[in-house]
Every structure is written in structure tokens, then in C-alpha cells.
């Protein structure tokens, strides 16, 4: 029974691939991630990250296809800030102000799954229109804060 099922799967995939209805691919690229929406985020430095993934496209007709990707994305942002710390003695007397500079580096990892329809326009030099939806899930986030002169937080 297992052999029959395996043979059936191979025949189905073979017929689909032989008609060039299915395309598989690998893609990668660079992304630029930014945070916006409040005055606090105005001082955030956007950084470049990367994306790498697998692509699957199924040709419905000559001009229409359905496509999906499974993408791993790394996105990064940094922000810096200055603050003043006033130490207190055991008697409650304020000491001299100490100025510090902090830099926080954030790294986010996402898995993204877009699903799109692609419509080809023209024959000789075709263009296409692509539209769809996607779902993304943050799988991890790392933050490292360094404060001069000597504090480091992970």
C-alpha cells in the first residue's frame, strides 16, 4: 500500500512539473526596517537586515498564477539616549550629577508567509500585477543596551 501511495504521489508531481505549472525557487534580499508612530521613535536609527526564503508558484492559466513564500527575516534598529544620574549618599545628600550615554540595539527575527495572485500583462515584454496577503510571526527578539562609561545589559 505504501508503494502504491508513493508511486501515485510521484506520478502526480511528475505530471504537474512536466506541464510547467509549478515553479520552485529560492530568494534572498536586503531589507530596511524602521519604527514610527510616536516622538520617542523619532530618534531610532533604522538598520539594514536580510531576508531569505523559499518560493512556490502554481500556474493557474497562461496569465494567472498563485504564489506563496516561506521567508526568514532579520530586522534591526538602534536608538541612543542621554541621561543624568544623581547618586545619593547614605545620609540622603545628593552627590554630583553623572552624565551617561546609552545605546540600545534591537534585533528581531520573523517568519513571514505571503500568499499572492499574479496576473501577467502582455506577451513579448510582459509586466505583471501582484496582490495578496501575508502573515508574519516574530520568533525571537534580542536587545543589548550599553551605557557609558561601564554598564552593559542583555
Amino acid at each position: 500500500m505504501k508503494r502504491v501511495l508513493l508511486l501515485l504521489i510521484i506520478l502526480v508531481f511528475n505530471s504537474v512539473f512536466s506541464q510547467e505549472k509549478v515553479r520552485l525557487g529560492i530568494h534572498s534580499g536586503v531589507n530596511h526596517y524602521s519604527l514610527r508612530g510616536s516622538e520617542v521613535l523619532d530618534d531610532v536609527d533604522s538598520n539594514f537586515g536580510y531576508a531569505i526564503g523559499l518560493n512556490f508558484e502554481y500556474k493557474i492559466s497562461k496569465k494567472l498564477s498563485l504564489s506563496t513564500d516561506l521567508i526568514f527575516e532579520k530586522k534591526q534598529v538602534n536608538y541612543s539616549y542621554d541621561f543624568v544620574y544623581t547618586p545619593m549618599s547614605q545620609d540622603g545628600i545628593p552627590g554630583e550629577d553623572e552624565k551617561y550615554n546609552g545605546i540600545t540595539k534591537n534585533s528581531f527575527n520573523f517568519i513571514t508567509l505571503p500568499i499572492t495572485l499574479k496576473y501577467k500583462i502582455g506577451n513579448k515584454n510582459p509586466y505583471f500585477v501582484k496582490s495578496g496577503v501575508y502573515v508574519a510571526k516574530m520568533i525571537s527578539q534580542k536587545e543589548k543596551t550599553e551605557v557609558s562609561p561601564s554598564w552593559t545589559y542583555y
Side-chain angles (χ1 to χ4, degrees):
M1 183 65 184
K2 288 181 184 180
R3 288 182 185 180
V4 172
L5 184 60
L6 180 61
L7 182 60
L8 183 63
I9 290 171
I10 290 172
L11 288 175
V12 167
F13 275 106
N14 190 28
S15 67
V16 168
F17 281 104
S18 67
Q19 295 175 14
E20 296 182 16
K21 286 190 168 202
V22 174
R23 292 174 61 187
L24 299 174
I26 297 173
H27 68 264
S28 63
V30 176
N31 61 37
H32 191 262
Y33 185 64
S34 64
L35 296 174
R36 295 172 289 209
S38 74
E39 291 178 17
V40 174
L41 298 175
D42 289 342
D43 296 327
V44 172
D45 295 327
S46 301
N47 280 339
F48 287 96
Y50 62 88
I52 186 164
L54 300 173
N55 174 267
F56 173 82
E57 185 175 353
Y58 179 75
K59 203 172 190 181
I60 298 170
S61 68
K62 269 187 163 183
K63 296 199 175 261
L64 187 65
S65 64
L66 178 68
S67 173
T68 187
D69 302 310
L70 182 61
I71 305 168
F72 172 81
E73 293 181 277
K74 184 172 194 86
K75 302 176 181 186
Q76 301 175 351
V77 293
N78 298 334
Y79 53 95
S80 60
Y81 46 90
D82 296 320
F83 63 96
V84 176
Y85 172 71
T86 306
M88 300 290 244
S89 69
Q90 290 181 349
D91 300 331
I93 301 169
E96 251 184 70
D97 288 347
E98 299 175 10
K99 294 182 181 180
Y100 291 94
N101 177 276
I103 298 173
T104 300
K105 299 176 181 182
N106 285 292
S107 175
F108 306 95
N109 294 326
F110 288 88
I111 293 289
T112 307
L113 180 70
I115 301 171
T116 57
L117 275 174
K118 179 174 150 182
Y119 185 75
K120 188 167 84 170
I121 301 168
N123 291 324
K124 189 172 182 180
N125 294 320
Y127 293 93
F128 63 88
V129 177
K130 201 171 186 181
S131 181
V133 297
Y134 77 94
V135 176
K137 171 77 174 155
M138 184 170 62
I139 55 174
S140 68
Q141 184 258 338
K142 292 181 184 175
E143 182 176 285
K144 179 181 178 183
T145 301
E146 296 176 354
V147 178
S148 63
S150 62
W151 299 343
T152 300
Y153 296 101
Y154 293 94

